Amino acid sequence: MLSLFQRKSTCLTAGAGQAPGAEMPKGLMRPKSATGLLATPRRQKLLEHIWQRTSLSRRQFKTLYLAPLERYAELVQLFPASEGHHHAYPGGMLDHGLEIVAYALKLRQSHLLPAGMKPEEQAAQAEVWTAGTAYAALLHDIGKIAVDLHVEYADGSLWHPWHGPLQRPYRFRYRMGREYRLHSAATGLLYTQLLDRGILDWLCQYADLWAALLYVLAGQYEHAGALGELVVQADQASVAQELGGDPGKAIAAPKHSLQRKLLDGLRYLLREEFKLNQPQASDGWLTQDALWLVSKTVSDKLRAYLLSQGFEGIPSNNTALFNILQDHGIAQPTPDDKAIWKATVTSDEGWSHSFTFLKLSPAVIWEATERPPAFSGSVQVDQEESEKAASNEGNTDHREPDSEPTQPMPEASSLPVPANDGVTALLDLLDDTDKPDSDCQPDTPAESETVSTADSVKEDGPPSGEHFMAWLRQSIQTRKLIINDAKALVHTVDGTVYLISPGVFQRYAQEHLQVAKLAKSKELPGWQWVQKRFEKLGLHRKQDNGLNIWTCEVKGPRKSRRVHGYLLSTSDELFDHPPSDNPYLKLL
């Protein structure tokens, strides 16, 4: 931990003619150095968690994260975050700043940013978006010290934050009649004091991030997209934690998020992949009053796209996905309140065929000026067949069976929480895994080191064992797959990597729809086809009795469970610097 603070800092003077150890006059506080302010055990834990959410060496972390955090600490000193609400105690603003950064980076792990771009581009921008998220979170309230507080030195002269860090003993009070929202507009006065020219030069190269960050710093969260949402949720979590609420509920995705993800996915597919209004080889047909999408095509491709974008919680069961689309008002119900319609498509040339469809309103997908031309033929609903199709869809379970009995990982709330200094709920939510120290990488913010181009999975590459491993490595490095989490498919155990089976192979098959076609010729489920290709690579460790599958015990505070999977011979295939073992898993 000491390496976090081995930076030359300017010692702040205690005031003219006053020895550093002398007793302070009543009502005055002596400015502290960043090292002193950040040296408490709680703040050190938060700094460590922030580092663990990045993909940087210690040296790079000092440049991109620790230096702004130290400048923030020196600027906010012992100011509270509010007068009588949350973090309303000396040093509350510094605690709130560290907490919201830690929460925001935790949430950021569930997003591939910038949204809608190709995986290679998201990988290239992974670290700059992570840093941008941290800066947006850290700076969102900094304007308070400029407009909410009256700060003066012992001689009565005023201090303003644009003067730089406090240099002498000071006192402060809250301004009477202050305008609540003004601090958002005041952020622009100060962020250049925390983010140096090198960092700003780096950020402004990425137009989407730069625009979102500037919107957040101006308090215009509604225009900041995912970045604005991350900051708002992280802020709510920190406030909830301080006020004795449940930060877990605060950082849970709002109910409308899934609806928006589904709609964004459908819009992307209709723009980039789906073929409309074509005879026979079509994914759907657009009539004057409805968009008819072939049900299995849309469910498979929508699931694959959302998973490829790092969205979790997408059902593997088609019926469940159809129900979600219907529940969120995206898929229109049949007269019997089912999601699946049976209809016959007939073209002007006389071609005709029946399909099972999802029916959507075109206005949900397109603006009026963007709507494609309508199909010149007809789509005729078969009422009786629609009822049968809906019944069959409801009775079909599309989930693939497990090759060996497995049990789910325990929920995060059931994992043991070590005793600490009163921040168990906060650290429980943030806890993930430790990283080894490494200073071997170049110290430059201009390049992302999350994943190299050579590591990127080729989008047009055919499914194979090698492709599966390349996908797995990239998914971990871009945080599309989280490791060592309660529901993770990948863990670090016994000094190497443990792959949950069949979950990790099912996930790959769901993202790569070509697997189903290849597996069908072998009369295998898709995940099993992938599993066999993985086994042929010979990258896994076998038990003494020759079995491929290893069992791990997952220990919770009241009970333990078992999971099954493959143990890699070495972690080198997936990690340059492997994390420490998951303390809650034990190899049996």
Side-chain angles (χ1 to χ4, degrees), residues 14 132 181 280 328:
R181 295 288 181 183
Q280 301 182 30
H328 284 78

Side-chain angles (χ1 to χ4, degrees), residues 112 114-119 122 260-269 271-274 298-311 314 480 507 510-513:
L112 283 183
M117 286 197 175
K118 293 182 178 180
Q122 290 171 332
R260 194 180 66 189
K261 290 174 184 176
L262 294 168
L263 280 172
D264 287 347
L266 286 169
R267 289 165 182 159
Y268 170 84
L269 292 170
R271 184 175 67 249
E272 302 292 339
E273 292 190 24
F274 284 171
V298 69
S299 60
D300 289 347
K301 290 190 175 182
L302 180 59
R303 181 187 298 109
Y305 171 75
L306 293 175
L307 289 174
S308 74
Q309 294 296 300
F311 296 133
I314 308 303
K480 189 170 68 176
R507 175 65 178 267
Q510 288 170 349
E511 285 194 36
H512 300 85
L513 300 181

Side-chain angles (χ1 to χ4, degrees), residues 105 159 177 226 374 379 414:
L105 295 188
W159 173 84
V379 179
S414 70

Side-chain angles (χ1 to χ4, degrees), residues 181-217:
R181 295 288 181 183
L182 190 59
H183 70 269
S184 294
T187 301
L189 295 170
L190 303 177
Y191 66 79
T192 55
Q193 288 201 41
L194 303 184
L195 305 181
D196 58 36
R197 186 172 65 183
I199 289 176
L200 294 174
D201 287 348
W202 178 45
L203 296 173
C204 74
Q205 297 176 64
Y206 302 89
D208 291 343
L209 171 64
W210 186 241
L213 180 60
L214 292 179
Y215 278 128
V216 169
L217 299 183

Side-chain angles (χ1 to χ4, degrees), residues 134-248:
Y135 302 148
L138 182 67
L139 294 167
H140 84 291
D141 268 351
I142 192 66
K144 287 183 176 181
I145 66 174
V147 296
D148 288 359
L149 297 176
H150 174 98
V151 185
E152 62 183 27
Y153 291 118
D155 62 3
S157 61
L158 292 180
W159 173 84
H160 298 290
W162 48 84
H163 296 169
L166 284 152
Q167 300 294 325
R168 305 190 302 276
Y170 66 96
R171 63 172 65 91
F172 73 89
R173 60 178 170 80
Y174 275 87
R175 297 181 186 275
M176 298 295 293
R178 61 188 179 277
E179 187 176 339
Y180 174 68
R181 295 288 181 183
L182 190 59
H183 70 269
S184 294
T187 301
L189 295 170
L190 303 177
Y191 66 79
T192 55
Q193 288 201 41
L194 303 184
L195 305 181
D196 58 36
R197 186 172 65 183
I199 289 176
L200 294 174
D201 287 348
W202 178 45
L203 296 173
C204 74
Q205 297 176 64
Y206 302 89
D208 291 343
L209 171 64
W210 186 241
L213 180 60
L214 292 179
Y215 278 128
V216 169
L217 299 183
Q220 299 183 38
Y221 294 92
E222 67 277 13
H223 300 304
L227 192 67
E229 291 181 6
L230 290 172
V231 174
V232 169
Q233 283 185 268
D235 186 34
Q236 291 171 347
S238 176
V239 171
Q241 168 65 32
E242 165 61 18
L243 298 180
D246 183 356

Side-chain angles (χ1 to χ4, degrees), residues 305-565:
Y305 171 75
L306 293 175
L307 289 174
S308 74
Q309 294 296 300
F311 296 133
E312 298 293 339
I314 308 303
S316 58
N317 182 306
N318 278 352
T319 302
L321 184 56
F322 296 149
N323 289 339
I324 289 174
L325 289 168
Q326 184 177 344
D327 291 344
H328 284 78
I330 298 172
Q332 297 184 6
T334 67
D336 292 327
D337 202 31
K338 305 294 183 181
I340 300 300
W341 297 72
K342 183 70 179 290
T344 300
V345 180
T346 304
S347 71
D348 289 343
E349 291 76 23
W351 174 84
S352 181
H353 199 279
S354 295
F355 298 91
T356 56
F357 287 110
L358 291 176
K359 181 182 179 183
L360 283 70
S361 168
V364 169
I365 304 297
W366 297 286
E367 298 291 340
T369 57
E370 300 173 344
R371 182 169 168 173
F375 179 50
S376 58
S378 66
V379 179
Q380 186 67 38
V381 174
D382 186 326
Q383 187 61 47
E384 183 177 348
E385 290 299 320
S386 290
E387 294 174 4
K388 292 181 181 178
S391 177
N392 289 337
E393 287 287 350
N395 293 329
T396 302
D397 189 351
H398 295 268
R399 290 171 292 184
E400 293 168 327
D402 194 354
S403 59
E404 298 195 33
T406 67
Q407 297 190 39
M409 294 283 288
E411 297 297 329
S413 59
S414 70
L415 294 177
V417 180
N420 54 35
D421 54 357
V423 291
T424 54
L426 172 67
L427 297 181
D428 181 40
L429 272 175
L430 296 175
D431 215 358
D432 197 273
T433 184
D434 295 325
K435 284 185 178 180
D437 191 25
S438 172
D439 289 308
C440 61
Q441 302 177 59
D443 184 14
T444 171
E447 298 177 2
S448 168
E449 300 193 35
T450 304
V451 62
S452 67
T453 304
D455 289 328
S456 296
V457 177
K458 300 294 184 183
E459 285 299 301
D460 56 352
S464 65
E466 293 81 2
H467 191 268
F468 166 77
M469 290 301 296
W471 165 83
L472 188 59
R473 179 180 175 88
Q474 180 179 313
S475 297
I476 292 170
Q477 291 180 323
T478 57
R479 303 181 182 88
K480 189 170 68 176
L481 288 180
I482 305 302
I483 67 168
N484 292 336
D485 197 65
K487 297 181 181 179
L489 300 175
V490 181
H491 298 267
T492 46
V493 178
D494 199 37
T496 185
V497 182
Y498 187 73
L499 307 180
I500 299 293
S501 178
V504 70
F505 304 110
Q506 290 174 332
R507 175 65 178 267
Y508 175 83
Q510 288 170 349
E511 285 194 36
H512 300 85
L513 300 181
Q514 312 97 303
V515 169
K517 297 177 182 178
L518 296 169
K520 188 175 182 179
S521 64
K522 302 291 184 181
E523 298 183 347
L524 292 172
W527 69 266
Q528 207 167 75
W529 183 93
V530 180
Q531 186 183 59
K532 288 183 177 296
R533 267 61 191 171
F534 162 77
E535 287 183 355
K536 288 182 178 180
L537 297 177
L539 299 176
H540 61 290
R541 188 191 306 174
K542 292 189 176 184
Q543 297 193 53
D544 293 339
N545 58 10
L547 291 179
N548 292 312
I549 300 296
W550 296 74
T551 301
C552 275
E553 183 180 34
V554 185
K555 289 188 175 181
R558 293 174 299 277
K559 59 183 179 180
S560 62
R561 301 182 182 181
R562 293 186 175 186
V563 293
H564 307 272

Side-chain angles (χ1 to χ4, degrees), residues 66-83:
L66 187 58
L69 287 167
E70 288 180 332
R71 290 191 283 264
Y72 178 84
E74 291 182 342
L75 204 59
V76 303
Q77 288 291 321
L78 294 179
F79 299 142
S82 66
E83 184 175 14

Side-chain angles (χ1 to χ4, degrees), residues 18-172:
Q18 185 174 17
E23 184 177 349
M24 291 294 298
K26 188 175 181 179
L28 291 176
M29 290 177 284
R30 180 182 293 117
K32 294 185 178 182
S33 69
T35 301
L37 289 163
L38 294 172
T40 68
R42 185 180 192 275
R43 290 168 184 168
Q44 286 187 14
K45 288 179 182 178
L46 287 168
L47 285 172
E48 190 70 9
H49 279 284
I50 291 169
W51 175 62
Q52 290 174 8
R53 303 294 171 188
T54 73
S55 298
L56 300 175
S57 68
R58 288 285 191 184
R59 184 185 303 169
Q60 291 174 311
F61 178 76
K62 290 176 184 178
T63 300
L64 293 182
Y65 291 85
L66 187 58
L69 287 167
E70 288 180 332
R71 290 191 283 264
Y72 178 84
E74 291 182 342
L75 204 59
V76 303
Q77 288 291 321
L78 294 179
F79 299 142
S82 66
E83 184 175 14
H85 185 37
H86 68 92
H87 299 85
Y89 56 84
M93 181 165 284
L94 179 53
D95 285 339
H96 181 48
L98 294 174
E99 288 173 14
I100 189 175
V101 171
Y103 276 126
L105 295 188
K106 170 73 172 178
L107 290 163
R108 186 263 182 273
Q109 289 188 310
S110 300
H111 293 71
L112 283 183
L113 300 170
M117 286 197 175
K118 293 182 178 180
E120 292 86 350
E121 186 62 29
Q122 290 171 332
Q125 296 190 33
E127 197 56 55
V128 72
W129 275 88
T130 299
T133 300
Y135 302 148
L138 182 67
L139 294 167
H140 84 291
D141 268 351
I142 192 66
K144 287 183 176 181
I145 66 174
V147 296
D148 288 359
L149 297 176
H150 174 98
V151 185
E152 62 183 27
Y153 291 118
D155 62 3
S157 61
L158 292 180
W159 173 84
H160 298 290
W162 48 84
H163 296 169
L166 284 152
Q167 300 294 325
R168 305 190 302 276
Y170 66 96
R171 63 172 65 91
F172 73 89

